[in-house]
Amino acid sequence: MRKSFKLGGLAAVVLLVGGAGVAVMASKGDGPKKPGDEKAKPALEFVASEVVKPALASMPAQIEFSGPLVAPGTVVVRAKSNGTLLNLAVGEGSRVKAGQALGQVDLEELRYRIAERGASVEAMRAQMEQAERAHKANEGLASKNFIAQTALDNSRAAFEAARANWQAAKAQLDTSQVTLRQAALVSPINGIVAKRHAVPGEKLAAEQQILTIVDLAKLELAGLVGTHEVSRLKPGMPVQVKVEGVDQPVEARISRIAPAAEPGTRSIGVTLALDNPKEAFRAGQYAVAKVVLPDDTQRLTVPLAAVTRNSGQEQVWMIENGALVRRIVTTGRSDTREGRVEILNGLKPEAQVLAARFDNLREGDKAQIVAAKSAKVASAAASAPVQQ
């Protein structure tokens, strides 16, 4: 029994060794493959719309800045004297006209002050007249040498001091009367009540805020522009303004430019004036201003999608002598509206540039331009825009 097992195992080993030898001999018999035996890789095909030549075009520069709209015609109605707010005839959102009564303030305290100062004026006038009579009497005595010159000088000084006191009292009375006239709550401008700062029955102090009135007929937009761009802006230039919530842009004009840069920002303030006769816009709305500067220079440009970035370098893919070539370029101005970018260095006008980004391209691969893509040879698939 044991002998039969040994004979079977020996036979299995012989068969295994023999099979391996046959496989080795078969592999040696194949011989080395010739380069021509491999199937040639097909050329990449691109239709005419996927390949462009750099084109000369003008590229107007654009300067953008943003900020909230503000109403320069904003006034704050204040209490001119201490008193009690009796009533307010308008509320927030009410439209008012210049000279319109806004409310009533109890000015009894101011009236008492005016009466007091009026009495002071009368007292000072009486003292002045008394000093004047005394001085005239001293002049008569001095002409007859009955009094010394010093006594005459003293009476003159007393008269002039009394007259100055009388004039000061009159000035104080006039000031109080002007305050009384101005203390009436009337609107100084045409506009809309934006905020109420006090309520009826509240005790007011002098110069305390009562109402804020806004004139929306003219608005302004203040933004910051870099010092390298502000020299190209001038007061009066037209500007396109896109206001949030409004589909169509509106035209404004540069009103003024700050004479110095903001500390620590290297930016200069630019203010736009926006006419708003229909009051379609409100103060506080966010807006973006765009200044388009004309360009008289013809620049070499390619589509924006043709330029990609690799390892911090900008590049384009070209078809040159039937093969793909990667070319490093230097870009200048870009126009997102037209979808083009200026090429400063790296391309010639006759270059054939791939107009979009394609994945899995290798420099040196064969490429050709065809009328229509072959069904067997697929072009490189277009991908999403490159991440900058």
Side-chain angles (χ1 to χ4, degrees):
M1 190 69 177
R2 291 182 178 176
K3 186 175 181 180
S4 62
F5 281 151
K6 290 181 179 180
L7 291 176
L10 181 61
V13 170
V14 171
L15 290 174
L16 180 63
V17 172
V22 171
V24 170
M25 294 299 294
S27 65
K28 289 184 178 180
D30 289 344
K33 294 183 178 180
K34 297 180 181 180
D37 293 341
E38 291 187 358
K39 188 176 181 180
K41 185 178 180 180
L44 297 175
E45 294 181 354
F46 299 90
V47 295
S49 61
E50 295 175 334
V51 182
V52 297
K53 289 185 178 182
L56 292 175
S58 60
M59 301 190 69
Q62 295 184 357
I63 300 176
E64 290 189 1
F65 56 94
S66 58
L69 295 176
V70 297
T74 300
V75 297
V76 177
V77 179
R78 301 174 182 269
K80 296 302 181 181
S81 178
N82 298 336
T84 302
L85 182 61
L86 299 178
N87 63 73
L88 281 177
V90 295
E92 295 177 352
S94 300
R95 188 174 298 277
V96 297
K97 295 183 178 180
Q100 177 181 337
L102 304 175
Q104 186 177 2
V105 178
D106 182 8
L107 301 174
E108 197 66 25
E109 183 178 346
L110 180 57
R111 293 189 179 92
Y112 287 146
R113 188 181 305 120
I114 292 175
E116 178 185 357
R117 289 181 176 177
S120 297
V121 169
E122 293 300 321
M124 292 300 176
R125 185 174 62 82
Q127 293 179 8
M128 180 194 66
E129 292 175 351
Q130 177 62 29
E132 184 180 12
R133 288 192 295 268
H135 177 61
K136 288 182 178 179
N138 287 335
E139 284 182 336
L141 295 174
S143 63
K144 298 178 181 180
N145 296 324
F146 287 159
I147 60 173
Q149 184 64 33
T150 303
L152 180 62
D153 293 341
N154 290 339
S155 66
R156 182 184 297 108
F159 168 61
E160 292 177 352
R163 182 171 58 186
N165 291 336
W166 173 68
Q167 291 174 345
K170 281 186 60 178
Q172 291 179 350
L173 176 61
D174 294 340
T175 300
S176 297
Q177 290 174 340
V178 170
T179 301
L180 180 61
R181 289 194 299 269
Q182 294 180 347
L185 292 182
V186 295
S187 176
I189 62 171
N190 297 329
I192 300 174
V193 177
K195 189 174 182 180
R196 297 204 316 180
H197 303 280
V199 296
E202 184 176 345
K203 184 69 174 179
L204 302 176
E207 297 303 319
Q208 181 176 337
Q209 296 181 358
I210 300 177
L211 294 170
T212 298
I213 302 175
V214 178
D215 181 8
L216 296 176
K218 290 186 178 294
L219 297 176
E220 289 185 348
L221 170 61
L224 295 176
V225 176
T227 53
H228 63 289
E229 295 178 321
V230 73
S231 61
R232 306 167 73 180
L233 301 179
K234 304 295 180 185
M237 291 181 63
V239 182
Q240 293 295 312
V241 178
K242 182 69 170 62
V243 183
E244 63 175 349
V246 181
D247 295 334
Q248 297 298 325
V250 294
E251 184 173 294
R253 293 194 174 273
I254 297 178
S255 174
R256 54 190 182 275
I257 302 174
E262 294 287 334
T265 64
R266 300 293 298 165
S267 298
I268 294 179
V270 178
T271 302
L272 307 182
L274 173 62
D275 291 332
N276 188 31
K278 297 183 179 179
E279 299 182 355
F281 312 117
R282 292 290 187 266
Q285 281 184 289
Y286 191 80
V288 178
K290 180 185 295 184
V291 184
V292 179
L293 303 175
D295 182 26
D296 298 331
T297 304
Q298 294 294 306
R299 305 173 187 274
L300 196 66
T301 66
V302 297
L304 276 171
V307 180
T308 60
R309 187 179 295 273
N310 184 19
S311 300
Q313 293 181 319
E314 294 177 313
Q315 64 180 19
V316 298
W317 284 95
M318 303 167 42
I319 299 177
E320 192 173 84
N321 298 325
L324 288 176
V325 178
R326 185 172 68 93
R327 186 64 51 83
I328 304 299
V329 296
T330 303
T331 61
R333 295 185 181 183
S334 62
D335 187 348
T336 55
R337 182 179 58 181
E338 298 295 334
R340 302 194 69 82
V341 61
E342 178 188 10
I343 301 298
L344 298 176
N345 293 305
L347 286 182
K348 295 181 179 180
E350 63 272 12
Q352 293 180 317
V353 181
L354 299 188
R357 171 181 168 172
F358 295 87
D359 285 338
N360 304 322
L361 298 182
R362 293 184 180 180
E363 193 166 9
D365 284 354
K366 294 182 179 180
Q368 60 183 352
I369 303 173
V370 296
K373 292 184 180 180
S374 170
K376 294 183 179 180
V377 182
S379 175
S383 71
V386 65
Q387 298 294 330
Q388 298 295 333

